[in-house]
Amino acid sequence: MKILKAFLFFFVIQLQAQQGGMWIPSLLQGMNEKEMKNLGMKMSVKDIYDVNQSSLKDAVPHFNGGCTSEVISPKGLILTNHHCGFDAIQNHSTVEHDYLTNGFWAYKMEEELPNENLVVTFIVRIEDVTTKVLEGTSNLTSEAEKQKKIQDNISALSVSLPKEAWQENKIRTFFEGNQYMLFVTETFNDVRLVGAPPSSIGKFGNDTDNWVWPRHTGDFSLFRIYADKNNHPASYSKDNIPYTPKHFLPISLDGVTEDDFTMVFGYPGKTNEYLPAVAIAQIANELNPAKIEVRDHALKVADGFMRKDNAIKIQYASKYASIANYWKKWIGETQGLKKSDAVAIKKNQEIAFQEKVLKAGKQAEYGNLLSDFEKDYTEIAPYALARDYFTEVALRNTELLSVGFKLYQLEQVYNSKGEQAFTDRKNNLIAGLADFYKDFNPTVDEKVFEQLIDLYATKVPKEFLPTNLSNINATHLATEIYGQSKLVDYKSLKELLSGDSKTVLAHLNADKGFLLIKGMADKFLKEVAPKYEEINLRITALQRTYMKAQLELNKDTRIFPDANSTLRVTYGKIKGYAPKDATLYRPITYLDGVMEKYIPGDYEFDVPTKLINLYKTKNYGVYGENGKMPVCFIATNHTTGGNSGSPAIDAKGNLIGLNFDRVWEGTMSDIYYDPNICRNIMVDARYILFIIDKFAGAKNIIDELKLVHPKK
């Protein structure tokens, strides 16, 4: 019996350590460290985060504000996802030099390509500044006043707290405003493209395989950080030298097996793990379906053009991938929330919460939280739906309307700030839109507009629909707008914006495209946005109090802060999973699977001839395993958007893979993490090395790396 009890205890500990969580790296001592050790970690938490000594945090910079990367050589070489570097690869691509199709490799440093506005940011140190941020707020009863005071404190502290001249102070909120942390950062803005496989490797499977296991995608690209002679951040210069990192990751050649410890280090963007049941039901049943339908129409139009015209394919590749990414994610998330019965589980948790409130004698403070949530989410529903439609149709997926909205904002600048502010904004707008129009195709956008404006006119709550969209014929309206508006090309736009403010505004208000978005924006900003913000402010205050109650009433429970694009650690094990009855997925894929999916000449599943030949001859070098070439693997790490490009690290601190996706059945982990089906997907480091070495022949890159055998 004692043996059985010991086994059950060990099993519970092991299982508990895989329940998800995105942990602040400076706060791992204690429970987290014990869990990580139970899972097999051989490092100490000081190896992960240390202010005074080099540690893993010094090798994991934020990549361009939206992804993660890792330093893998003493010469500032960084690794991230192909899809994270996609814009840079696309910007350097032309029909004559199509790096998207053919890949790019710099065989010496002089060939590395600079990238305007591409940055990486390192974390220097993390400190708790909650007391300082909340100073002077305890006596404020108005939520708006409290938030203003907090923002004023943050602004003042960001300037006054100590840092070096080349560093920056950033303060972020945790636990819905119950904790505030300072991040001292260093941002490098001379980052050059070093290597990228062709899209037939880096995007293999494209949208069909996106969010799906098994994956066979070599989703990686390589960049290098350059610094000034003092190893400090500097703008691009030929005199800059490769950055010398405080730490870089050795790369394991020993591979992975099921139940190996894995740690993912990175910058997860946003999660909402502590929403009430009513909010989750609204997301699954109303908001996600609306956004999915809009993007479904936009994607079908773009895909039809991209498959017929290679120039359009290059123009729209990055935009299409961006739109498709969350479209498919929302589909999987909605299905996962329903399959896991997340709403019912949350309701049961809320019953238990109410019992704890009663037991603690906290009815006055917390007793009405759930009923207030119910009331506010019911009230906000039509405003939230109208807001999502406006965002998806006008701002994100119809490019003419998105430009029109910028011009609408220009008119508002004149009305509120006058001539000089108008002129400054106008000049910045003209300069900034040059790149936009390079990848704008009015023929494609007209067909997208036709589909989406019809959805907007029929699906937005009638009380929020502008009069210029009542009883429209979408096809006729599209022909009229795109045939007459000057927003359809850069030359016409510049003509539209030439002259003084009165001339420009007169021209704008005679343009049919501008007038359409003006009617939509006026209705949204006057009748939807203010009421949405008013109710959402109440919900924000409720959520903060709800989070405070959770922390107070569950002191012995694992509670991690929601993701907010700050540096986090998540840990688990390499594991397969069973997504449905009679289906079991193994945790590792091989090059065999690439060949099984291969469709010659296909947009998504073509395979380069050289890779086929390497497969046929089994020319895998030191990177293969038992005559096979590993490609991808999955684990129980809790990740989200922003973790793209995150290093997958073994028990001893070596790089074993590169995070790039999640399984479709588990994409609801942003809202509800289920350890049975939530898995993150990583490229095996050995596949990355194999592509660099055997496929690209970039021995210069391999020679920079520290390759190790930790298991031997």
Side-chain angles (χ1 to χ4, degrees), residues 609-648:
T609 301
K610 187 168 184 180
L611 187 58
I612 295 172
N613 291 335
L614 289 168
Y615 172 75
K616 287 180 177 178
T617 59
K618 301 293 185 271
N619 185 10
Y620 304 144
V622 297
Y623 314 115
E625 179 180 79
N626 300 322
K628 296 166 73 73
M629 186 64 242
V631 176
C632 296
F633 60 92
I634 54 174
T636 61
N637 306 112
H638 188 177
T639 61
T640 187
N643 276 123
S644 290
S646 288

Side-chain angles (χ1 to χ4, degrees), residues 211-215 577 585-589 632-634 663 681:
W211 304 103
V212 172
W213 185 255
R215 289 298 290 274
Y577 72 110
Y585 284 140
R586 293 177 178 174
I588 301 170
T589 62
C632 296
F633 60 92
I634 54 174
V663 301
I681 306 176

Side-chain angles (χ1 to χ4, degrees), residues 32-76:
N32 291 121
E33 186 172 18
K34 287 181 180 178
E35 287 185 344
M36 296 167 89
K37 296 285 189 183
N38 285 334
L39 286 171
M41 186 180 75
K42 306 300 181 186
M43 300 176 285
S44 73
V45 293
K46 289 185 75 65
D47 292 322
I48 299 170
Y49 176 90
D50 196 316
V51 174
N52 301 313
Q53 305 293 329
S54 66
S55 57
L56 290 178
K57 76 161 173 61
D58 299 313
V60 187
H62 207 178
F63 186 84
N64 214 32
C67 286
T68 303
S69 56
E70 52 273 359
V71 188
I72 57 172
S73 92
K75 297 179 181 178

Side-chain angles (χ1 to χ4, degrees), residues 93-106:
S93 294
T94 62
V95 173
E96 294 77 21
H97 299 286
D98 189 351
Y99 299 137
L100 290 176
T101 299
N102 303 318
F104 170 80
W105 305 98

Side-chain angles (χ1 to χ4, degrees), residues 437-705:
Y437 276 102
K438 180 170 73 76
D439 292 326
F440 174 74
N441 187 305
T443 304
V444 177
D445 200 56
E446 179 180 346
K447 294 302 179 184
V448 172
F449 172 92
E450 181 183 325
Q451 294 286 316
L452 301 197
I453 207 68
D454 187 57
L455 274 179
Y456 197 88
T458 55
K459 296 297 182 73
V460 169
K462 294 299 181 186
E463 63 269 29
F464 302 134
L465 195 66
T467 54
N468 58 359
L469 284 180
S470 296
N471 302 314
I472 62 163
N473 181 303
T475 303
H476 292 168
L477 182 61
T479 302
E480 182 182 29
I481 295 291
Y482 285 79
Q484 299 179 34
S485 175
K486 291 192 174 183
L487 306 187
V488 296
D489 66 74
Y490 190 49
K491 181 181 177 182
S492 298
L493 178 88
K494 288 192 290 185
E495 292 174 1
L496 190 65
L497 295 179
S498 62
D500 61 17
S501 59
K502 291 184 179 178
T503 302
V504 171
L505 292 176
H507 288 162
L508 283 176
N509 282 282
D511 187 276
K512 291 184 179 297
F514 177 79
L515 289 174
L516 178 64
I517 186 62
K518 184 175 182 177
M520 295 169 68
D522 275 343
K523 195 74 171 178
F524 173 75
L525 292 174
K526 291 174 183 177
E527 298 184 26
V528 178
K531 191 65 177 179
Y532 175 88
E533 294 301 331
E534 174 194 325
I535 304 167
N536 194 53
L537 196 63
R538 297 203 303 263
I539 291 174
T540 299
L542 283 175
Q543 194 69 44
R544 185 176 63 247
T545 305
Y546 188 49
M547 197 71 245
K548 178 174 178 287
Q550 298 284 358
L551 294 168
E552 183 180 327
L553 300 175
N554 299 283
K555 294 185 184 298
D556 297 326
T557 303
R558 302 167 81 253
I559 298 180
F560 60 92
D562 270 320
N564 59 358
S565 293
T566 58
L567 188 60
R568 302 294 182 89
V569 169
T570 178
Y571 46 86
K573 282 195 169 190
I574 293 173
K575 284 280 187 188
Y577 72 110
K580 54 190 175 183
D581 183 47
T583 302
L584 178 64
Y585 284 140
R586 293 177 178 174
I588 301 170
T589 62
Y590 298 89
L591 192 55
D592 306 64
V594 173
M595 302 313 302
E596 289 168 1
K597 293 179 178 179
Y598 171 41
I599 304 173
D602 186 72
Y603 178 59
E604 299 181 303
F605 294 102
D606 199 9
V607 177
T609 301
K610 187 168 184 180
L611 187 58
I612 295 172
N613 291 335
L614 289 168
Y615 172 75
K616 287 180 177 178
T617 59
K618 301 293 185 271
N619 185 10
Y620 304 144
V622 297
Y623 314 115
E625 179 180 79
N626 300 322
K628 296 166 73 73
M629 186 64 242
V631 176
C632 296
F633 60 92
I634 54 174
T636 61
N637 306 112
H638 188 177
T639 61
T640 187
N643 276 123
S644 290
S646 288
I649 297 170
D650 70 7
K652 297 181 180 179
N654 304 299
L655 185 72
I656 52 174
L658 181 64
N659 187 83
F660 71 96
D661 206 353
R662 284 174 285 167
V663 301
W664 205 34
E665 297 86 359
T667 50
M668 83 289 190
S669 61
D670 289 350
I671 297 171
Y672 174 68
Y673 180 87
D674 184 343
N676 294 312
I677 59 174
C678 291
R679 297 289 183 271
N680 65 308
I681 306 176
M682 294 152 279
V683 191
D684 195 303
R686 294 169 296 173
Y687 188 59
I688 295 171
L689 296 172
F690 162 72
I691 295 297
I692 295 170
D693 188 349
K694 295 295 182 177
F695 179 84
K699 301 287 187 183
N700 57 309
I701 295 174
I702 296 295
D703 290 343
E704 275 191 54
L705 310 175

